[in-house]
Amino acid sequence: MTPRPLSEQFLAKPKAELHLHLRGAMPAAFFTELVAKRPPQQALADAPDHHLALFRTSPHLEHFVQGLLSPPEAADTLFRFQTFPQFLTSYLLTSYFFRDIEDFRRLIIAVRDTLAAQNIVYAEITVSLIEYILRGLKLPEMIEVMDDTASDGEVRLRWIVDLVRDVGPEAALDLLKDCLACKSASVCGITLGGSEHKVPAQEFAEHYRLAHENGLGLTAHAGEAMGPASVWDAVRSLGVNRIGHGVRSIEDPRLVEHLAENRIPLEICPTSNLKTGVYPSYAEHPVRKLYEAGIPISINTDDPSFFACTLNDEFQRLADLGFTEPELDQLVGNGFRQAFSAPEITDFHP
């Protein structure tokens, strides 16, 4: 079957993103401005030696760290990683350029404008607040900015706070309690990013209980770097409403049946799974099998600036795999129906 381009009508449909990282969606032009404002040697002045060594030994970042590139060249080389570890290094590097609350505000606005240009009208954006706190930003100020920017543009934004497994359960619990104390109007959920294989989800059961008691939606990154056991852990230990990625659930028929029967959605990001090496090609990605198994799925971009994709690109990839436009329409609708703020965004449903 010859793949057919998606119709203009489909491409123009209002859409939603449920799995999108804030800095992962940072436009290159915005990062160029940051580098011009705060050159690498200034931004990295307080970086620990092990981070500096990591940056200096990454081939695509060597000249960047030495300050030998113009701001546009620096932004360009940031996205020229060749391996998943290099991607993680690039992502870490960007955190050092956010030093005041206006950097944070301008980042949100730049990402929001990029989404609006794609006719994405609703987005639940994952934000790793701890990374900005480590650079000197204050949590109450960030929450205030997040609330201020949530509904004053063409895109309605809601926030999913990443507790970040790697900081450990104690620090993550402190962060969650501090966030709850801020009583944000736009934070709608929590997630658990970071190293699946190092810190099991069950260590965060108390965090998820507390978040649920305070009305937050529950999702967790699982079934990406690790297999089905990671998804089972998130489902059984955390009581999640959704799973971030979850694609390796396909390796366990019993888990696939459980997800389908209990209507637990997967936030699927096809290009991300290729870029991070989970699957070697779109043809080998299990999205079709997961869909046909009856698991509710949404389609998302994860880190679109780093992975050079858009949401419409992802839908075109699915069309190339044989998804029909009526099926893709259903997936677009899932992006709204599976939103943690679904009751308040009925006006956006296609």
Side-chain angles (χ1 to χ4, degrees), residues 263-275:
R263 309 301 295 164
I264 300 174
L266 301 183
E267 308 155 5
I268 291 184
C269 312
T271 295
S272 170
N273 297 152
L274 268 65
K275 294 289 188 178

Side-chain angles (χ1 to χ4, degrees), residues 249-280:
S249 300
I250 199 66
E251 299 168 18
D252 182 345
R254 191 163 60 91
L255 176 57
V256 169
E257 183 178 353
H258 180 84
L259 296 174
E261 287 183 353
N262 290 276
R263 309 301 295 164
I264 300 174
L266 301 183
E267 308 155 5
I268 291 184
C269 312
T271 295
S272 170
N273 297 152
L274 268 65
K275 294 289 188 178
T276 60
V278 180
Y279 297 105

Side-chain angles (χ1 to χ4, degrees), residues 181-217:
C182 290
K183 299 186 182 301
S184 168
S186 60
V187 171
C188 68
I190 61 169
T191 191
L192 196 57
S195 305
E196 288 179 66
H197 59 290
K198 292 182 180 178
V199 190
Q202 60 188 355
E203 295 189 17
F204 296 84
E206 180 182 356
H207 308 57
Y208 275 68
R209 177 192 57 77
L210 180 61
H212 175 69
E213 290 175 354
N214 281 271
L216 296 180

Side-chain angles (χ1 to χ4, degrees), residues 145-185:
V145 167
M146 289 156 60
D147 286 345
D148 287 348
T149 54
S151 301
D152 67 349
E154 297 177 53
V155 187
R156 190 173 300 181
L157 303 180
R158 292 297 179 264
W159 302 97
I160 296 178
V161 174
D162 183 1
L163 300 183
V164 188
R165 299 170 189 254
D166 302 76
V167 305
E170 184 175 347
L173 186 59
D174 288 342
L175 173 65
L176 176 60
K177 289 178 178 178
D178 289 343
C179 286
L180 293 173
C182 290
K183 299 186 182 301
S184 168

